Amino acid sequence: DVKVTQSSRYLVKRTGEKVFLECVQDMDHENMFWYRQDPGLGLRLIYFSYDVKMKEKGDIPEGYSVSREKKERFSLILESASTNQTSMYLCASSRGLAGISYEQYFGPGTRLTVT
Amino acid sequence: GNSVTQMEGPVTLSEEAFLTINCTYTATGYPSLFWYVQYPGEGLQLLLKATKADDKGSNKGFEATYRKETTSFHLEKGSVQVSDSAVYFCAPSGGGNKLTFGTGTQLKVEL
């Protein structure tokens, strides 16, 4: 079974802190994704990576950055956390072959609260 | 870009009732279509998928048919159980292996 793990289930940070959310997948997937999930808004894509060191902005990248130094690990960074970044953050991974849409496998999520 | 419209929830049903959750989408080309389910406190997991027109995806008693002419992918189940209580997301694929998720429909099944 594919496993996607996230470093924390719950996190509480203060406004202005730098926050790192880590995601690791064990299936050698090319693609990795970071989403945030908010009530009434569904899932919105923050960033997407299709290879090591490669990244692409999603729909809501402002206030976030990402890092992918190894194929299995994809980090989301909040440079200076703000209260409007309080949310559930979901990481996902999938195979990546041009022209084919593979299913995404999700981690359990990190509920981040910024006070 | 792609967009998805799902019926708003929550949908509340009695056990053994028939379920339909509507999903319509706009997309360029011929997307693959997915339904994901999220149980309380968990991440999303794939429920079923269809990759071309008229395909029917099915899993755990749930079904959805890829209707290209109406750009729809409605989720159905003949007899729901309390354990089906969850949030359901419709998602067409887009470019670059990305998915566009609907806002989700919460299903509550009562005894």
Side-chain angles (χ1 to χ4, degrees):
Chain A
D1 275 356
V2 175
K3 193 156 189 185
V4 180
T5 57
Q6 295 184 230
S7 49
S8 306
R9 292 299 301 270
Y10 300 93
L11 210 52
V12 179
K13 295 291 182 181
R14 294 191 181 275
T15 300
E17 279 193 86
K18 191 168 186 175
V19 181
F20 292 86
L21 302 183
E22 302 281 334
C23 175
V24 177
Q25 51 95 2
D26 66 358
M27 280 300 291
D28 202 35
H29 284 167
E30 291 80 11
N31 297 332
M32 296 189 75
F33 308 82
W34 275 107
Y35 297 90
R36 62 177 283 176
Q37 181 180 13
D38 300 287
L41 297 177
L43 273 72
R44 292 179 292 167
L45 181 65
I46 304 172
Y47 266 99
F48 160 53
S49 170
Y50 50 92
D51 201 350
V52 174
K53 297 190 187 295
M54 305 305 287
K55 61 186 178 185
E56 190 175 301
K57 291 180 180 178
D59 300 318
I60 51 163
E62 296 78 20
Y64 303 95
S65 61
V66 290
S67 172
R68 193 161 179 207
E69 297 296 318
K70 294 185 178 181
K71 191 175 185 179
E72 68 271 18
R73 189 179 298 268
F74 191 35
S75 302
L76 180 69
I77 303 152
L78 286 66
E79 294 289 343
S80 177
S82 63
T83 55
N84 64 12
Q85 292 178 310
T86 291
S87 186
M88 170 71 86
Y89 289 88
L90 293 168
C91 176
S93 72
S94 76
R95 293 180 62 189
L97 196 63
I100 299 178
S101 296
Y102 292 101
E103 69 173 283
Q104 293 182 17
Y105 295 84
F106 282 82
T110 296
R111 186 166 292 283
L112 172 67
T113 302
V114 182
T115 61
Chain B
N2 292 359
S3 66
V4 183
T5 301
Q6 279 185 242
M7 61 190 292
E8 289 197 21
V11 174
T12 303
L13 296 173
S14 298
E15 203 170 45
E16 299 184 1
F18 184 86
L19 168 72
T20 300
I21 299 178
N22 290 336
C23 170
T24 57
Y25 64 90
T26 58
T28 53
Y30 303 97
S32 294
L33 301 173
F34 300 83
W35 275 102
Y36 280 80
V37 59
Q38 186 178 33
Y39 298 104
E42 299 183 12
L44 279 68
Q45 54 186 276
L46 179 69
L47 181 60
L48 54 82
K49 65 179 181 182
T51 57
K52 59 183 187 298
D54 300 324
D55 266 3
K56 179 184 282 189
S58 61
N59 186 26
K60 300 181 181 179
F62 290 89
E63 293 182 338
T65 301
Y66 190 141
R67 301 287 187 199
K68 180 170 171 289
E69 63 279 6
T70 55
T71 60
S72 64
F73 193 52
H74 304 321
L75 183 68
E76 296 181 336
K77 186 174 186 183
S79 176
V80 294
Q81 306 300 311
V82 171
S83 57
D84 293 326
S85 298
V87 181
Y88 293 82
F89 293 90
C90 181
S93 65
N97 302 133
K98 288 181 273 191
L99 299 177
T100 300
F101 287 89
T103 53
T105 302
Q106 185 175 11
L107 171 66
K108 297 180 181 177
V109 181
E110 300 172 336
L111 289 170

